[in-house]
Amino acid sequence: MSSRRNFLRGAGAITAAASAAAVSRVAMAALPEPVLQTRPDTMPPLVPSTGRPYNPCVTLNGWTLPWRMNNGVKEFHLVAEPVVREMSADFKAHLWGYNGQSPGPTIEVVEGDRVRIFVTNKLGELTSIHWHGQRLPNGMDGVTGLNQPGIPPGKTFVYEFVARRPGTFMYHPHADEMVQMAMGMMGFWITHPKAKHPLIDEVDRDFVFLLNAYDIDPGSYTPKIMTMLDFNLWSWNSRIFPGIDPLVVRKNDKVRIRIGNLTMTNHPIHLHGHEFLVTGTDGGPTPKSTRQYEVTTDIAVGQMRQIDFLADEEGDWAFHCHKSHHTMNAMGHDVPTMIGVDHRGVARQITKLIPDYMVMGERGMKDMTEMEMPLPDNTAAMMAGRGPFGSVGMGGMFSVVKVRKDQKPGDYTDPGWYQHPPGTVAYEFGGALPEPARFKAEGPGSMPALKRPTTPTEVKVRKPAGGHSGH
Ligand SMILES: [Cu+2]
């Protein structure tokens, strides 16, 4: 927190990133001092002390960028730079981001604000920022080559426009995108409504996070930037469960969650125990007539979904991507299915040669969550989340919405595990277990099989010559 509180005071806690020799002193004199964040914790909401008032958001495992007012213009300073992001305990990734973190800080403004953003490039190649979803002058849209020249290393460019419509937006480079986004360059932008809005309800808690994905081999630090499909770390704000903070709310709070997708695939995001309405998309608030209750909303590539719900059920409620391989962490892709395979004979022989050999996955992959394997340095354990009843068997895009009746308004501290009232937890049946009576029809199915040919046909596959396999 200290690095944010001291914004513009010139105190020692601030790391003045742009003071590097690359940016001239004359240029610096007119720039707002860049504010850096080095901790991966969820920071408390930044209550505005200047400019129009608004109800601030909370960025999951992230923070909001402070600004300065300059003759009625809200000025921000983003620094594109290499960062080290702690993705979970004991696992750090070498990414590119903004102001000390990936994703970069959330920018919060109010409808009608004139905004000026200074962008300093501390990378080794050109960059730019595209303000995803906003109405703005064409020359401010940030597509390198089309709307502006790229920002060269060491240089600072200025973007200026009016935040015209309220809603949820994202920012990301439009220069060498595949590399720069695979390295973690992205952030959130919220434009709050300036007055009561017929389609935007006021809420008690307003969470935001970005979906992002990386391909980082176990034991290494830097994402593989040429990966197109086989990402192995599915993250929220570049954090993986159990490194993702819980979303803590008070019972009967009206809760909003805004989720943006800057991965290369869609994510069906699913909430337990409640129904929500999709109240906003990239295009703004949804018309009320289109809203229907859901428990899962699919978020396509480049999209944002805003969901609202009443947190009226106490407990610890799972909240996750419903693609089950997105709730794991780094692992090999080409692992054969071992369910039902009896390894005993093989294992006995292999242990003669390799005493530490361990059989994996013959009863399903849950075994993996229970065993303590020696792992390479800097490796995210695969499904290491622990709950009050044992292993949760989850990683990646998973967190918990914690609803508590005694949580104070505005308090986001983790209340610990839910204390279930006596008699409300699933329990073991204590009676006798008779053999089940099966249906007579159980067996070959409702249609007789066709006569099979007497000589089996061998299928020959002709493989295409040359590259491009696997996608
Ligand atoms: Cu997913």
Side-chain angles (χ1 to χ4, degrees):
M1 267 313 276
S2 64
S3 60
R4 298 173 59 202
R5 288 240 169 86
N6 290 322
F7 178 56
L8 297 180
R9 276 187 216 155
I14 303 176
T15 317
S19 65
V23 181
S24 82
R25 290 215 157 268
V26 183
M28 278 296 296
L31 280 172
E33 193 160 7
V35 190
L36 300 200
Q37 182 55 261
T38 51
R39 285 165 50 195
D41 309 350
T42 301
M43 293 298 164
L46 180 66
V47 178
S49 55
T50 58
R52 293 184 172 104
Y54 62 83
N55 282 329
C57 293
V58 166
T59 306
L60 202 60
N61 290 103
W63 59 300
T64 288
L65 187 63
W67 63 87
R68 77 173 178 198
M69 294 303 296
N70 184 359
N71 291 321
V73 181
K74 229 171 221 185
E75 289 187 334
F76 295 89
H77 190 172
L78 285 173
V79 180
E81 60 180 357
V83 302
V84 176
R85 175 68 168 177
E86 184 197 280
M87 292 189 72
S88 69
D90 303 324
F91 177 59
K92 291 190 164 112
H94 291 189
L95 306 178
W96 292 352
Y98 300 95
N99 301 46
Q101 289 291 339
S102 162
T106 300
I107 291 177
E108 289 182 75
V109 303
V110 180
E111 178 188 5
D113 277 354
R114 175 163 280 275
V115 179
R116 185 178 296 135
I117 309 117
F118 297 84
V119 179
T120 299
N121 182 5
K122 293 191 75 188
L123 302 170
E125 64 169 356
L126 294 175
T127 192
S128 74
I129 301 191
H130 165 60
W131 313 98
H132 185 116
Q134 305 240 26
R135 296 271 184 144
L136 34 63
N138 186 246
M140 294 291 161
D141 201 41
V143 179
T144 305
L146 180 66
N147 308 119
Q148 64 165 91
I151 308 171
K155 299 290 185 193
T156 298
F157 273 38
V158 185
Y159 294 86
E160 186 166 337
F161 54 92
V162 173
R164 280 164 59 184
R165 68 173 175 86
T168 310
F169 308 97
M170 301 182 263
Y171 63 87
H172 62 79
H174 237 296
D176 197 13
E177 286 106 280
M178 189 172 155
V179 168
Q180 296 190 3
M181 289 173 68
M183 287 296 285
M185 296 182 73
M186 55 189 73
F188 236 127
W189 176 301
I190 314 287
T191 303
H192 295 278
K194 68 177 174 211
K196 270 210 177 312
H197 191 289
L199 297 177
I200 304 173
D201 292 342
E202 294 209 348
V203 291
D204 302 297
R205 312 236 176 185
D206 192 342
F207 297 96
V208 310
F209 61 90
L210 281 166
L211 308 172
N212 42 17
Y214 299 98
D215 183 12
I216 308 178
D217 280 338
S220 67
Y221 288 83
T222 308
K224 291 200 261 180
I225 50 171
M226 299 313 282
T227 296
M228 287 178 243
L229 295 173
D230 288 336
F231 296 90
N232 63 10
L233 291 170
W234 300 97
S235 48
W236 290 358
N237 276 351
S238 303
R239 293 279 288 183
I240 47 178
F241 187 76
I244 302 174
D245 281 340
L247 294 85
V248 178
V249 308
R250 178 181 169 86
K251 191 182 177 190
N252 294 325
D253 268 354
K254 284 185 199 144
V255 181
R256 173 167 298 151
I257 306 175
R258 314 172 196 235
I259 308 157
N261 181 4
L262 288 176
T263 72
M264 295 303 118
T265 187
N266 64 311
H267 300 279
I269 299 294
H270 176 54
L271 174 65
H272 292 208
H274 297 81
E275 309 86 40
F276 58 74
L277 293 169
V278 176
T279 54
T281 71
D282 319 53
T286 55
K288 288 213 161 145
S289 60
T290 66
R291 296 179 187 177
Q292 55 187 0
Y293 284 102
E294 311 263 12
V295 296
T296 305
T297 186
D298 196 24
I299 309 176
V301 181
Q303 283 188 334
M304 186 284 296
R305 290 289 176 270
Q306 169 183 304
I307 63 173
D308 287 14
F309 62 97
L310 180 67
D312 55 358
E313 296 286 351
E314 267 197 286
D316 291 339
W317 300 106
F319 180 48
H320 60 96
C321 176
H322 219 295
K323 286 188 175 175
S324 45
H325 63 296
H326 292 182
T327 52
M328 302 175 78
N329 293 333
M331 63 175 294
H333 288 106
D334 301 318
V335 179
T337 300
M338 294 306 223
I339 294 170
V341 176
D342 185 348
H343 290 71
R344 279 169 297 186
V346 179
R348 211 173 302 125
Q349 298 200 354
I350 296 177
T351 5
K352 283 182 197 154
L353 299 167
I354 312 163
D356 286 341
Y357 176 76
M358 188 164 48
V359 171
M360 285 165 69
E362 65 183 319
R363 293 172 298 170
M365 293 302 272
K366 190 75 164 63
D367 289 4
M368 300 291 293
T369 68
E370 305 288 353
M371 60 198 189
E372 300 285 323
M373 271 172 88
L375 297 170
D377 286 347
N378 193 51
T379 296
M382 205 165 76
M383 296 176 279
R386 273 202 175 266
F389 300 102
S391 164
V392 182
M394 291 283 164
M397 292 178 164
F398 184 94
S399 189
V400 177
V401 173
K402 296 195 172 192
V403 185
R404 296 289 186 279
K405 66 174 186 303
D406 41 9
Q407 193 79 12
K408 298 269 178 298
D411 182 7
Y412 291 86
T413 51
D414 188 343
W417 299 118
Y418 181 57
Q419 303 295 315
H420 302 85
T424 64
V425 177
Y427 58 95
E428 184 179 350
F429 172 67
L433 291 172
E435 270 301 304
R438 298 194 184 274
F439 290 110
K440 282 222 172 67
E442 208 172 83
S446 56
M447 292 187 200
L450 289 175
K451 249 198 199 148
R452 286 170 176 276
T454 44
T455 46
T457 317
E458 195 186 337
V459 179
K460 287 219 168 77
V461 178
R462 189 152 43 93
K463 290 197 176 148
H468 280 288
S469 61
H471 62 88

